Amino acid sequence: MSATELLKSRRAVRAYEPREVEEENIHKLLEAATWAPNDRLREPWHFYVVRGEAKARFEAIARTFLEERFPTKPHLVKESLHVLESTPLVIVVTADIVPGDEASSEDNEYAAACAIHSMWLTAQELGLGAVWRTRGIGLARDERLHAFLGSPENRKVIGSVFIGYPAGDTPPTSRKPYQEKSTWL
Ligand SMILES: Cc1cc2nc3c(=O)[nH]c(=O)nc-3n(C[C@H](O)[C@H](O)[C@H](O)COP(=O)(O)O)c2cc1C
């Protein structure tokens, strides 16, 4: 498959088979991520692999977050938690914050985004499905996730990548023609 074909076939996969992701494949995902472009080769990312007992603790945080956020919608809390519970693997990605250097910190976030995309494409190649989550059970903007990771203050959570073997077909998405999104100067 060409790189362009892989890019176009990548989908946000949100439902997974009840099957663990093999350790060998987790290593492949992490390795692919580290080959992402990054300014001045700062390699400004860190990957937290969350599964098993650690994922149970992630779920406990998500439950608290959801119950606080949707106190009158227990069905929504339950549904969202079910998605997390049925996800075999979560990889949380952080970007290094460079103290006193906003521009470099921003560039580090872009690099971490590229790393997530690399991981996402590699998941597709390995027959896995993935989705980058920031909202809701992604917990990317919840301080409790930071505490759970035990990560230093100078690391910003960029997203939680949910990964597993796809359960069923993932509906296609579409894109507007690039002509609508480009200006040739
Ligand atoms: C920065 C970023 C944050 C995202 N956050 C979420 C999220 O919180 N929950 C979710 O279900 N999908 C999330 N997504 C996935 C998008 O919703 C998905 O890529 C979009 O619907 C297009 O689908 P496709 O990737 O299959 O083409 C996120 C994607 C990006 C790039």
Side-chain angles (χ1 to χ4, degrees):
M1 190 187 279
S2 73
T4 310
E5 281 164 349
L6 183 64
L7 278 166
K8 287 185 176 174
S9 66
R10 184 212 50 79
R11 288 281 72 76
V13 177
R14 300 183 176 88
Y16 315 101
E17 284 178 4
R19 174 181 162 195
E20 290 302 319
V21 178
E22 302 83 345
E23 208 147 308
E24 185 192 353
N25 280 343
I26 301 176
H27 287 285
K28 286 182 182 166
L29 294 172
L30 297 171
E31 219 236 331
T34 62
W35 279 96
N38 62 95
D39 183 41
R40 298 195 173 178
L41 274 177
R42 280 192 293 272
E43 303 185 54
W45 36 59
H46 201 86
F47 308 100
Y48 294 87
V49 179
V50 184
R51 56 188 183 142
E53 182 274 327
K55 198 168 80 68
R57 286 188 284 128
F58 188 108
E59 285 162 17
I61 297 169
R63 180 186 293 278
T64 309
F65 169 85
L66 290 165
E67 285 174 349
E68 277 175 19
R69 186 102 197 270
F70 307 108
T72 59
K73 295 182 179 162
H75 61 284
L76 183 60
V77 172
K78 201 173 160 201
E79 274 169 32
S80 301
L81 276 176
H82 175 71
V83 171
L84 177 56
E85 285 158 3
S86 57
T87 301
L89 169 68
V90 178
I91 299 181
V92 181
V93 182
T94 61
D96 295 345
I97 298 164
V98 184
D101 188 344
E102 214 171 296
S104 295
S105 300
E106 248 179 48
D107 285 352
N108 285 354
E109 291 185 33
Y110 305 148
C114 292
I116 293 174
H117 194 224
S118 301
M119 205 162 22
W120 203 338
L121 290 173
T122 302
Q124 184 84 4
E125 187 180 67
L126 295 171
L128 288 159
V131 62
W132 174 355
R133 288 183 185 270
T134 51
R135 291 172 279 109
I137 48 174
L139 296 174
R141 296 179 183 94
D142 194 278
E143 259 310 303
R144 281 166 290 207
L145 177 58
H146 207 270
F148 160 75
L149 299 171
S151 77
E153 276 300 306
N154 70 328
R155 286 186 191 157
K156 178 177 174 179
V157 174
I158 301 303
S160 301
V161 186
F162 283 37
I163 305 165
Y165 284 95
D169 291 332
T170 305
T173 56
S174 63
R175 298 293 190 269
K176 293 187 178 114
Y178 67 86
Q179 287 88 344
E180 285 183 30
K181 296 284 185 184
S182 2
T183 304
W184 295 48
L185 301 173

